[in-house]
Amino acid sequence: MISLVRPFSNETIPFIVQVGVGGTGSNVVQLVSQMLSITDKHHVYVLTDPDLIEEKNKGNQLFIDGEEGLPKAEVLAERYSQSFGLNLWSYTDHYIESVEALKSLFQVDYTNALEATSYYLPILVGCVDNNYSRKIMNQFFDSVPTCIYIDAGNESVEVPSDWQTRPIEQWNEAEKEAYYNSGYSGQVVVGVKIDNKVLQEPVVKMFPDILEDTDTIAPSELSCAELSASEPQRLITNKFAALSIANVIQEILFEKKITHHMTLFHAKKGYMRSIKKQECEDLLYGQN
């Protein structure tokens, strides 16, 4: 069982579990792995995603020719373990669709070297594109005494329902306009809970429509056809989201603090705006 203490004490080891290694997630792995390689701090970094690499993934995810058919999380864990001299772990058996499954990932002694004096700070990183998974991660946040929960979400590109079979040259002007002006914005929310006290609300409190989403279909229940028909995401937007997450983690690793509650970004306009807890509350309740 993992022991927990307040964040940022000298004994505390970051224990990062990242759910999702697709468009945003694969870029997060690259950035966080490189940061971990230049700190002498012990860590645990676990990637969980059962998806296999497909040809289409190479457009906005960090996968290359010859990796098709391999588990995404395993490929990234092996690649960046070797590249940066780290130990990354992966879990690819199932999607994370229960609090118990998520808790189990934080209870494994991946290093096989836990000492009585070692304490782990659980950092949950959500890089998913569905609210079903966000609800599970929120339940985990509610059920544990201490957790930093970093969640990234970004706007999908607006495309016609038959976009995969009808070339853009055949779209009407309204369809093209919607396409060219969507898919660039998003946010990263940092929930913080220490010793059963919520210091910063998680993403579902900032965006209540997540909990109001009535979609009860788990990711594992989606068919290949349904997954293929999902709305596309932009490469540049995924990278903005990943950079926003990495900025939070670098503060934790190198400065032992968290200074912002939420980061809003727009990739086409080229800006990020990080705001503190009070500013988030002002936005949430319409005071700003």
Side-chain angles (χ1 to χ4, degrees):
M1 180 67 69
I2 301 301
S3 299
L4 303 175
V5 293
R6 282 183 168 273
F8 315 139
S9 70
N10 291 331
E11 304 87 9
T12 304
I13 297 173
F15 193 133
I16 306 170
V17 171
Q18 179 177 320
V19 181
V21 294
T24 294
S26 59
N27 285 282
V28 170
V29 178
Q30 181 191 52
L31 293 167
V32 172
S33 296
Q34 189 168 17
M35 287 192 292
L36 289 171
S37 73
I38 59 175
T39 175
D40 57 0
K41 194 168 187 60
H42 295 296
H43 64 273
V44 176
Y45 191 10
V46 184
L47 312 177
T48 174
D49 192 329
D51 284 349
L52 304 180
I53 300 168
E54 300 179 60
E55 177 68 28
K56 66 180 183 180
N57 297 145
K58 293 183 291 184
N60 73 328
Q61 303 178 24
L62 294 183
F63 302 109
I64 59 176
D65 290 342
E67 294 178 336
E68 297 88 346
L70 299 175
K72 293 180 180 180
E74 288 184 11
V75 167
L76 293 173
E78 181 177 357
R79 178 194 300 168
Y80 293 114
S81 289
Q82 294 180 356
S83 298
F84 296 118
L86 303 172
N87 289 315
L88 275 66
W89 293 267
S90 62
Y91 175 79
T92 60
D93 292 351
H94 305 283
Y95 287 102
I96 300 302
E97 296 178 347
S98 71
V99 175
E100 291 70 26
L102 195 48
K103 283 184 176 180
S104 69
L105 295 178
F106 281 101
Q107 295 173 345
V108 176
D109 180 6
Y110 295 92
T111 65
N112 294 317
L114 278 180
E115 300 179 359
T117 56
S118 297
Y119 298 93
Y120 286 75
L121 168 65
I123 302 173
L124 174 61
V125 180
C127 300
V128 299
D129 59 0
N130 67 91
N131 288 337
Y132 184 99
S133 297
R134 286 191 177 90
K135 291 177 184 179
I136 297 298
M137 289 186 280
N138 184 68
Q139 291 170 19
F140 172 82
F141 182 85
D142 287 342
S143 67
V144 296
T146 298
C147 180
I148 296 174
Y149 169 26
I150 308 168
D151 180 90
N154 51 276
E155 172 195 23
S156 294
V157 183
E158 293 185 30
V159 291
S161 59
D162 59 348
W163 67 277
Q164 292 180 309
T165 58
R166 184 162 56 100
I168 192 170
E169 292 79 14
Q170 297 178 13
W171 297 3
N172 61 44
E173 290 305 312
E175 290 172 333
K176 291 180 181 179
E177 183 73 11
Y179 170 73
Y180 289 129
N181 290 286
S182 62
Y184 289 103
S185 64
Q187 75 286 323
V188 168
V189 178
V190 185
V192 180
K193 185 179 182 182
I194 307 298
D195 296 337
N196 290 304
K197 181 178 180 181
V198 176
L199 304 180
Q200 292 189 170
E201 298 287 3
V203 64
V204 300
K205 294 297 178 67
M206 306 308 296
F207 299 91
D209 57 310
I210 293 174
L211 292 178
E212 296 168 4
D213 191 335
T214 58
D215 184 4
T216 59
I217 301 177
S220 61
E221 298 173 343
L222 291 172
S223 67
C224 292
E226 289 171 317
L227 288 171
S228 296
S230 61
E231 294 177 326
Q233 296 183 345
R234 295 190 185 277
L235 169 64
I236 189 63
T237 307
N238 290 141
K239 289 187 177 294
F240 265 66
L243 185 59
S244 299
I245 291 175
N247 188 47
V248 176
I249 293 179
Q250 73 87 22
E251 268 201 325
I252 295 172
L253 293 177
F254 297 105
E255 301 180 44
K256 297 182 174 62
K257 63 182 181 181
I258 295 173
T259 57
H260 297 104
H261 190 182
M262 180 165 63
T263 298
L264 305 173
F265 59 85
H266 196 289
K268 189 172 186 178
K269 295 178 180 178
Y271 77 74
M272 288 186 184
R273 179 193 174 198
S274 292
I275 52 182
K276 298 181 179 180
K277 183 175 185 294
Q278 184 58 55
E279 292 177 280
C280 286
E281 292 174 350
D282 290 343
L283 285 176
L284 183 62
Y285 295 110
Q287 298 174 13
N288 190 11

